[in-house]
């Protein structure tokens, strides 16, 4: 039996069209450009490419055309993502967690007026959005947020603090969750809001995490938003958040990260091929080969599950698979980190200094793995979600989030 993915003649032609278009439209300085510490001039060029992709419907290819998306099928979207991948780029070609995750929640929970207002700027690449969820004392326990939103006439006034947010180079739109009801009414006292560009009272302070992740502490000081910014109704924010988090927990509408799963492992394999210790290449040690093959299998599982979830998300099908895929990716990266530590010792954890292994690239992989095991729901939380969905956890929350 042959499981190889084959493309139809139409898809092969579409690939040629995408490759040619990218050849004409992707600025050379954007090719292989970084997602972290992106110099502002490069970031502007990434955004420019995003707007051009948006104008063609290729920035959010599977999103509905009536709101500015591409209305394409998942195979066509995959072709776009693969062609961008050849240029070292993801889709979108810059960090846009609020767009990738938040737009789905609006499709599900927004009124027609909200969809018309909020979605086209996201799908066209005119705004980049951060998600303001985590607080200093509410991470895994997101239902425990204490940021408050108080109705005042036709507005809500939002006050609080969020942490580990976004990226470098700022954003123009923000999704947030805040408490609107009685603290005792857990899960039924939260609301979901959009905060637009330049809203007074919102500010941020950069924080740099392990793995060079650019994050921010965000301060909300009497931030006033119009009533239309409330999505899904007052005190219904937990359900809106559940849709958003379902995607973040691995039920992605982008598969860029999934397709990257092998890249970091390839770097580790190269290190083992190039490094000679006591006259022997690391790759020639049977124990190391054994571990690399195991990691390759993990990477492949994570890649295939990611692709499955990409398709499932576009079909609005769901069970425990989002968290399963997230769990597989996170644990795979942590296993890679353990092997790096074993193979290269302290040099594997150095990015510069006297003798970094593989010019510091392994340390970056290791640090990134530790960070990503936490971001978007920790490994433990993926296990909790899976067990509930499989019916081996407590009853509440077993049915999952609304996706359509
Ligand atoms: C790289 C990165 C990017 C991020 N980006 C964003 C962002 O853009 N926006 C945003 O809002 N947030 C973001 N976060 C925050 C992230 O969502 C939180 O760090 C995460 O949800 C965990 O919350 P916490 O850090 O408060 O840890 P805690 O919730 O305090 O957890 C501490 C430890 O306890 C464990 N634990 C907690 N509850 C349970 C449980 N019920 N069962 C078993 N174990 C449990 C956890 O697994 C963890 O090991 C980011 C974080 C990182 C590291």
């Amino acid at each position: 039996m042959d499981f190889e993915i084959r493309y139809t003649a139409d898809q092969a032609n579409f690939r040629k069209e995408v490759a040619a278009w990218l050849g004409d439209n992707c600025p050379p300085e954007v090719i292989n450009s970084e997602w972290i510490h992106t110099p502002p001039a490069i970031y502007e060029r990434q955004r420019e490419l995003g707007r051009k992709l948006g104008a063609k419907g290729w920035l959010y290819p599977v999103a509905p055309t009536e709101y500015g998306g591409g209305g394409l099928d998942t195979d066509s979207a995959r072709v776009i993502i693969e062609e961008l991948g050849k240029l070292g780029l993801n889709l979108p070609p810059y960090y846009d967690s609020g767009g990738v995750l938040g737009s789905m929640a609006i499709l599900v929970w927004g009124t027609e007026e909200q969809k018309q207002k909020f979605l086209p700027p996201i799908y066209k690449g005119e705004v980049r959005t951060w998600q303001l969820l985590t607080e200093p004392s509410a991470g895994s326990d997101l239902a425990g947020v204490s940021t408050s939103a108080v109705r005042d006439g036709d507005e809500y006034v939002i006050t609080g603090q969020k942490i580990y947010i976004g990226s470098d180079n700022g954003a123009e739109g923000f999704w947030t969750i805040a408490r609107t009801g009685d603290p005792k009414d857990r899960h039924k006292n939260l609301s979901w809001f959009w905060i637009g560009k330049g809203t007074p009272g919102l500010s941020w302070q950069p924080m740099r995490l392990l793995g060079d992740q650019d994050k921010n502490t965000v301060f909300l000081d009497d931030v006033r938003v119009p009533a239309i910014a409330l999505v899904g109704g007052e005190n219904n924010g937990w359900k809106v958040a559940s849709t958003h988090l379902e995607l973040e927990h691995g039920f992605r509408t982008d598969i860029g990260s999934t397709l990257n799963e092998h890249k970091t492992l390839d770097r580790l394999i190269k290190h083992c091929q190039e490094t000679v210790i006591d006259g022997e290449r690391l790759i020639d040690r049977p124990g190391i080969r054994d571990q690399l093959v195991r990691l390759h299998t993990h990477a492949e599982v994570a890649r295939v599950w990611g692709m499955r979830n990409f398709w499932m998300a576009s079909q609005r099908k769901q069970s425990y698979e989002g968290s399963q895929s997230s769990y597989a990716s996170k644990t795979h990266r942590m296993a890679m980190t353990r092997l790096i530590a074993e193979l290269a010792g302290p040099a594997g954890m150095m990015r510069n200094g006297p003798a970094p292994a593989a010019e510091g690239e392994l340390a970056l992989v290791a640090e990134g793995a530790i960070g990503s095991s936490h971001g978007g729901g920790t490994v433990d939380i993926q296990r909790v979600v899976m067990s509930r969905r499989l019916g081996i956890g407590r009853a509440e929350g077993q049915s999952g989030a609304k996706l359509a």
Side-chain angles (χ1 to χ4, degrees):
M1 193 176 289
D2 180 3
F3 286 107
E4 192 54 51
I5 295 173
R6 310 244 176 252
Y7 289 95
T8 62
D10 282 351
Q11 287 166 343
N13 285 337
F14 182 60
R15 182 182 294 283
K16 280 187 203 147
E17 183 190 338
V18 173
W21 186 89
L22 285 171
D24 291 341
N25 290 282
C26 182
E29 59 270 42
V30 165
I31 295 172
N32 290 319
S33 56
E34 291 294 338
W35 264 35
I36 49 177
H37 315 330
T38 315
I42 301 287
Y43 172 65
E44 283 313 318
R45 304 292 275 164
Q46 293 175 344
R47 292 295 302 273
E48 189 185 311
L49 175 62
R51 286 190 293 274
K52 285 185 179 174
L53 285 163
K56 283 195 79 68
W58 290 356
L59 188 64
Y60 284 86
V62 296
T65 48
E66 62 264 41
Y67 306 120
L72 298 179
D73 58 24
T74 47
D75 290 337
S76 306
R78 194 191 142 96
V79 166
I80 298 171
I81 290 164
E82 284 178 347
E83 288 307 308
L84 276 162
K86 289 179 187 167
L87 304 177
L89 296 170
N90 290 325
L91 186 70
Y94 45 83
Y95 178 95
D96 186 16
S97 64
V100 170
L101 310 171
S103 59
M104 174 81 145
I106 306 316
L107 274 177
V108 173
W109 292 100
T111 61
E112 187 53 36
E113 187 186 3
Q114 287 172 325
K115 290 177 194 172
Q116 296 285 354
K117 186 175 166 64
F118 299 139
L119 293 177
I122 292 174
Y123 293 154
K124 296 285 177 200
E126 287 152 16
V127 305
R128 174 260 272 280
T129 319
W130 289 347
Q131 41 166 347
L132 318 182
L133 309 180
T134 309
E135 298 185 0
S137 53
S140 302
D141 181 23
L142 187 62
V145 295
S146 57
T147 291
S148 68
V150 178
R151 180 104 194 201
D152 181 20
D154 286 342
E155 295 178 324
Y156 282 87
V157 185
I158 308 175
T159 306
Q161 187 181 332
K162 302 285 178 175
I163 195 166
Y164 306 130
I165 304 300
S167 59
D168 56 3
N169 287 302
E172 297 91 37
F174 311 87
W175 302 114
T176 199
I177 188 163
R179 207 167 65 205
T180 39
D182 191 319
K184 291 195 295 297
D185 294 335
R186 212 171 135 77
H187 295 109
K188 296 186 181 110
N189 57 5
L190 303 167
S191 299
W192 188 263
F193 294 96
W194 166 259
I195 305 173
K197 183 180 181 183
T199 307
L202 188 140
S203 60
W204 57 84
Q205 205 172 34
M207 60 192 302
R208 190 167 285 184
L209 304 188
L210 200 65
D212 262 0
Q213 295 264 355
D214 295 294
K215 290 285 154 184
N216 301 274
T217 305
V218 174
F219 304 95
L220 300 125
D221 293 318
D222 292 339
V223 171
R224 286 184 171 267
V225 295
I228 192 180
L230 169 70
V231 177
E234 198 169 292
N235 293 329
N236 196 38
W238 183 250
K239 289 191 177 161
V240 183
S242 299
T243 300
H244 181 103
L245 294 172
E246 190 72 21
L247 269 71
E248 179 150 45
H249 289 173
F251 216 72
R252 308 292 299 235
T253 46
D254 61 324
I255 47 169
S257 53
T258 300
L259 297 177
N260 284 337
E261 216 56 82
H262 282 284
K263 275 191 190 163
T264 41
L265 180 59
D266 287 347
R267 187 64 191 87
L268 184 54
I269 292 171
K270 187 164 175 265
H271 173 74
C272 294
Q273 287 164 336
E274 290 173 348
T275 307
V276 178
I277 295 180
D278 295 335
E280 186 187 24
R281 290 190 317 157
L282 287 177
I283 197 81
D284 293 330
R285 295 185 182 174
I288 288 174
R289 279 211 299 269
D290 181 49
Q291 292 196 60
L292 288 174
V293 166
R294 249 184 260 181
L295 287 173
H296 183 277
T297 310
H298 293 170
E300 192 58 11
V301 167
R303 183 182 75 83
V304 172
W305 279 351
M307 276 165 49
R308 172 200 61 185
N309 288 9
F310 178 58
W311 173 80
M312 287 180 74
S314 71
Q315 303 296 309
R316 308 289 191 269
K317 292 173 187 291
Q318 160 241 54
S319 175
Y320 59 87
E321 288 89 347
S323 288
Q324 180 193 47
S325 159
S326 172
Y327 179 79
S329 299
K330 286 169 193 275
T331 48
H332 160 63
R333 289 179 206 147
M334 288 305 288
M336 235 174 6
T337 299
R338 278 192 292 277
L339 184 58
I340 288 171
E342 192 184 312
L343 291 178
M349 297 295 140
M350 275 185 221
R351 260 192 282 140
N352 32 49
E359 293 87 40
E361 283 181 49
L362 295 186
L364 209 54
V365 171
E367 290 176 12
I370 295 165
S372 73
S373 73
H374 230 64
T378 67
V379 175
D380 300 310
I381 293 307
Q382 308 308 336
R383 275 200 293 251
V384 169
V385 173
M386 266 193 288
S387 65
R388 288 185 189 170
R389 299 281 169 83
L390 288 166
I392 50 179
R394 64 170 203 236
E396 193 191 339
Q398 277 183 4
S399 58
K402 189 171 182 306
L403 289 180

